[in-house]
Amino acid sequence: GSYKFTRNPENYNRSRSLEVNSKGVGIVSRSKAGDIALSLAAFVRGVKAVVWINGCSANAGLPLYYKNRQLLPALMFDHKKVFSTNSGAVISKYAMPDPLKPEGRDSLVPIERACGSFLFVASEDDLNWDSKAYMENMVERLTHNGKENFESVFYPGAGHCLEPPYEPFCSSCMHPFARMPALWGGEPRAHVAAEVHLWRKIQEFLRTHLSCEAAQTKSKF
């Protein structure tokens, strides 16, 4: 099948998708795009593979609607838990309430419903989300429901902004929602090594679950 790789360079929360003829759709997502990708897998047919990178396990920030019907309420940010550093940049790692508490459970994306496969990726030094905790929760939920349609990868020393490799390391930039500089975390050497490993892992995962021919999806990196 043919594929198309889409990317919006102006939004750090960009979601990338692989559209594969007759084989289903694969989605690569990070940050807020992560819970959108999870929701697509849970509620929309044809999503065969989702790569979730440093996101949330619940529907964050805004209610989720599909065909004028609300599917999930929003898990809202607690702005009182956004901390400023001496540099003026903020850390929002714990600004999102725990979705496992009773008041947040309705916002959890029901990934148990998904027919496709997941690759969960979390960074140890993610300063934007508590992504490791969210990943552990999703793995636990799927395992509890007898699901084996997932893989998980954890990167010690890596920060929030895991990108395709060989781009400049970004430790801080303007947060699109907070409208102020934010710290993303990560130790440069560990972070860039994680990007190289993850890029290969993503390609392997999508080829496996989207049945792409290797020659059609061979990376130039």
Side-chain angles (χ1 to χ4, degrees):
S2 63
Y3 71 92
K4 181 171 67 176
F5 186 81
T6 62
R7 179 175 178 182
N8 176 4
E10 297 180 359
N11 185 351
Y12 95 104
N13 280 324
R14 51 188 171 264
S15 177
R16 311 173 189 106
S17 68
L18 284 168
E19 300 175 10
V20 182
N21 293 341
S22 77
K23 299 295 184 181
V25 176
I27 305 172
V28 183
S29 62
R30 192 189 68 220
S31 198
K32 168 58 189 171
D35 62 77
I36 297 174
L38 296 178
S39 296
L40 285 168
F43 296 115
V44 179
R45 293 182 179 179
V47 178
K48 299 298 184 184
V50 168
V51 180
W52 173 99
I53 306 170
N54 291 333
C56 187
S57 56
N59 179 56
L62 293 169
L64 178 68
Y65 286 86
Y66 183 65
K67 294 184 177 179
N68 298 318
R69 180 170 67 92
Q70 181 175 309
L71 299 179
L72 296 171
L75 187 69
M76 300 302 296
F77 292 93
D78 184 350
H79 295 283
K80 295 179 181 179
K81 293 184 178 180
V82 176
F83 301 103
S84 295
T85 64
N86 292 334
S87 68
V90 299
I91 294 175
S92 58
K93 184 179 182 76
Y94 300 108
M96 188 66 69
D98 185 354
L100 297 182
K101 291 184 177 180
E103 59 270 25
R105 282 191 171 273
D106 287 346
S107 66
L108 284 169
V109 181
I111 54 175
E112 302 87 353
R113 297 178 43 168
C115 296
S117 298
F118 297 101
L119 173 60
F120 301 128
V121 182
S123 295
E124 179 184 50
D125 196 35
D126 185 352
L127 297 183
N128 187 70
W129 302 88
D130 193 4
S131 53
K132 181 173 183 285
Y134 298 141
M135 181 179 76
E136 290 173 343
N137 165 246
M138 292 190 291
V139 168
E140 182 179 349
R141 279 195 286 145
L142 289 174
T143 301
H144 179 75
N145 283 272
K147 296 281 190 173
E148 298 180 349
N149 59 334
F150 66 90
E151 300 176 53
S152 61
V153 183
F154 176 65
Y155 290 112
H160 180 70
C161 294
L162 287 174
E163 294 280 6
Y166 314 120
E167 295 185 1
F169 170 64
C170 178
S171 62
S172 178
C173 67
M174 189 64 67
H175 196 294
F177 299 118
R179 304 294 182 185
M180 59 184 67
L183 288 178
W184 306 125
E187 186 278 319
R189 184 180 295 274
H191 186 92
V192 298
E195 289 181 334
V196 172
H197 181 273
L198 178 59
W199 184 244
R200 294 169 181 164
K201 183 69 176 176
I202 288 172
Q203 293 174 77
E204 175 188 323
F205 174 79
L206 293 177
R207 287 174 185 149
T208 297
H209 296 287
L210 295 178
S211 301
C212 299
E213 293 293 335
Q216 294 174 317
T217 58
K218 185 176 181 180
S219 171
K220 295 182 180 180
F221 285 132

